[in-house]
């Protein structure tokens, strides 16, 4: 049975055909949250079209308007999200359509495979032993010990003390040793940062301090960090190398991006958003948005990740090539 028609606000009663400039904000379908958030693309003849985060433009008759509810706040940058949705709307009007990413499996298949491997979920003994904290010596895949170490080594006080006492070189050594002790970054990438001159080490730590604790928006801080890491690594700043440290110091707020797997995940969440090959601030915001959407979906499925490092590992465990072969029965 169709939902009852809802009364239009007074400022829309006389509107029968209009194109939106998206000042109406963001919306979410109350019955289909997996579609992501949406903007109102146009309204005419008693119908409205909404552009959703999953790449689809969906049209609703007046009787179903009440299913779309305003979203007060979204994780990450609302400006970037709206820009991506506007780009998709423009494509429907004859503009250049962003080629959507093709899902390699459904999110439900990911969750089923995850539950097969880890019956207790993120709180179960198997997940904790393999990914959080083992009972014996800490391994590269264990997140809790390296988080504790990163938060101690790169605390605000530690960074400022090393900078003020001109001991940045000592801190660089600790950072590179720490990155060598986790599988979040390939060892080859860590080695690319070795051999920095004293002045380069100063700039590296000052940029890292600005990335972690600067008062400006995260976008400009990340842009500067990528530039510095690029110079110090011989022009090869990878996603993993540039995102691992903020993810370790602030695992609830930042995500370590493993691009290959995250691109596959993005196909289920926001397939038409921008995801650059090299680290860029807009793409980082989009990858962060994907990670938070995965966290929300997992919570809805009855699983509660501790932080975004659990999300990183969930994405990798369920979308790497070996996992896909199992999911597809190859």
């Amino acid at each position: 049975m169709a939902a009852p028609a809802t009364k239009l606000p007074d400022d829309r009663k006389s509107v029968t055909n209009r194109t939106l400039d998206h000042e109406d904000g963001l919306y979410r379908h109350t019955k289909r949250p997996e579609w992501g958030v949406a903007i109102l693309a146009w309204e005419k003849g008693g119908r409205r079209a909404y552009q959703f985060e999953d790449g689809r433009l969906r049209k609703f008759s007046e009787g179903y308007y009440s299913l779309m509810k305003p979203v007060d706040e979204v994780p990450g940058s609302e400006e970037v999200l709206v820009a991506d949705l506007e780009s998709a709307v423009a494509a429907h009007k004859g503009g250049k359509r962003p080629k959507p990413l093709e899902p390699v499996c459904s999110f439900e298949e990911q969750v089923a495979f995850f539950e097969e491997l880890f019956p207790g979920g993120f709180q179960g003994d198997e997940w904790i032993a393999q990914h959080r904290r083992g009972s014996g010596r800490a391994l590269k895949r264990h997140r809790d010990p390296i988080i504790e170490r990163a938060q101690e080594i790169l605390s605000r006080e530690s960074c400022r003390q090393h900078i003020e006492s001109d001991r940045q070189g000592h801190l660089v050594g600790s950072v590179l040793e720490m990155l060598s002790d986790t599988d979040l970054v390939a060892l080859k990438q860590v080695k690319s940062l070795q051999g920095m001159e004293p002045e380069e080490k100063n700039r590296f730590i000052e940029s890292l301090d600005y990335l972690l604790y600067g008062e400006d928006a995260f976008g400009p801080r990340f842009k500067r960090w990528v530039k510095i890491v690029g110079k110090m690594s011989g022009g090869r700043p990878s996603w993993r190398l540039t995102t691992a440290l903020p993810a370790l110091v602030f695992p609830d707020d930042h995500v370590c991006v493993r691009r290959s797997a995250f691109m596959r995940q993005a196909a289920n969440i926001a397939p038409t958003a921008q995801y650059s090959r090299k680290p860029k601030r807009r793409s980082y915001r989009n990858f962060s948005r994907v990670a938070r959407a995965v966290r929300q979906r997992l919570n809805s499925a009855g699983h509660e990740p501790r932080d975004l490092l659990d999300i990183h590992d969930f994405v990798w465990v369920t979308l790497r090539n070996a996992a896909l072969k199992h999911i597809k029965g190859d």
Side-chain angles (χ1 to χ4, degrees), residues 94-301:
K96 184 178 180 181
R97 180 184 295 271
K99 185 178 180 180
L101 300 172
E102 293 290 337
V104 292
C105 69
S106 70
F107 189 78
E108 290 72 22
E109 287 175 316
Q110 283 181 256
V111 174
F113 181 57
F114 170 72
E115 292 172 341
E116 180 182 337
L117 293 177
F118 304 98
F122 295 107
Q123 316 306 322
D125 293 339
E126 293 91 343
W127 182 266
I128 293 173
Q130 288 199 35
H131 293 282
R132 299 304 303 197
R133 184 187 296 273
S135 58
R137 181 175 62 88
L139 302 177
K140 285 191 172 188
R141 65 174 182 264
H142 289 146
R143 305 307 179 207
D144 290 346
I146 202 70
I147 288 173
E148 294 168 3
R149 189 170 159 191
Q151 291 177 341
E152 178 182 356
I153 291 173
L154 291 174
S155 68
R156 181 189 293 266
E157 294 75 17
S158 175
C159 288
R160 299 296 163 82
Q161 287 175 3
H162 281 85
I163 291 172
E164 291 171 2
S165 61
D166 199 25
R167 298 178 65 244
Q168 294 94 323
H170 179 269
L171 188 54
V172 167
S174 299
V175 169
L176 296 186
E177 182 180 359
M178 178 176 65
L179 288 176
S180 298
D181 290 339
T182 177
D183 65 357
L184 292 174
V185 183
L187 188 57
K188 180 180 179 180
Q189 296 170 9
V190 179
K191 289 182 177 180
S192 72
L193 292 172
Q194 295 176 346
M196 285 187 278
E197 298 295 330
E199 181 58 33
E200 292 175 326
K201 292 179 179 179
N202 293 349
R203 292 168 59 198
F204 181 86
I205 294 301
E206 289 166 5
S207 180
L208 179 56
D209 175 71
Y210 178 62
L211 172 76
L212 297 175
Y213 304 110
E215 296 181 358
D216 296 326
F218 188 76
R221 289 151 52 193
F222 184 69
K223 181 178 180 180
R224 176 179 168 183
W225 170 243
V226 170
K227 183 177 180 180
I228 291 295
V229 173
K231 288 183 177 180
M232 304 310 169
S233 63
R236 299 183 298 276
S238 70
W239 274 104
R240 294 165 67 183
L241 185 60
T242 52
T243 59
L245 292 174
L248 287 171
V249 179
F250 301 110
D252 289 323
D253 302 317
H254 292 292
V255 62
C256 181
V257 176
R258 194 164 189 141
R259 187 178 182 275
S260 58
F262 270 66
M263 288 289 287
R264 291 172 175 174
Q265 189 67 78
N268 293 110
I269 307 293
T272 60
Q274 183 181 92
Y275 306 101
S276 58
R277 187 170 297 277
K278 295 181 179 179
K280 293 185 178 180
R281 55 182 175 177
R282 177 170 179 171
S283 293
Y284 176 75
R285 292 190 189 108
N286 285 335
F287 280 128
S288 296
R289 210 168 80 222
V290 168
R292 286 174 170 80
V294 170
R295 185 175 197 169
Q296 185 178 42
R297 290 191 184 188
L298 285 168
N299 283 325
S300 298

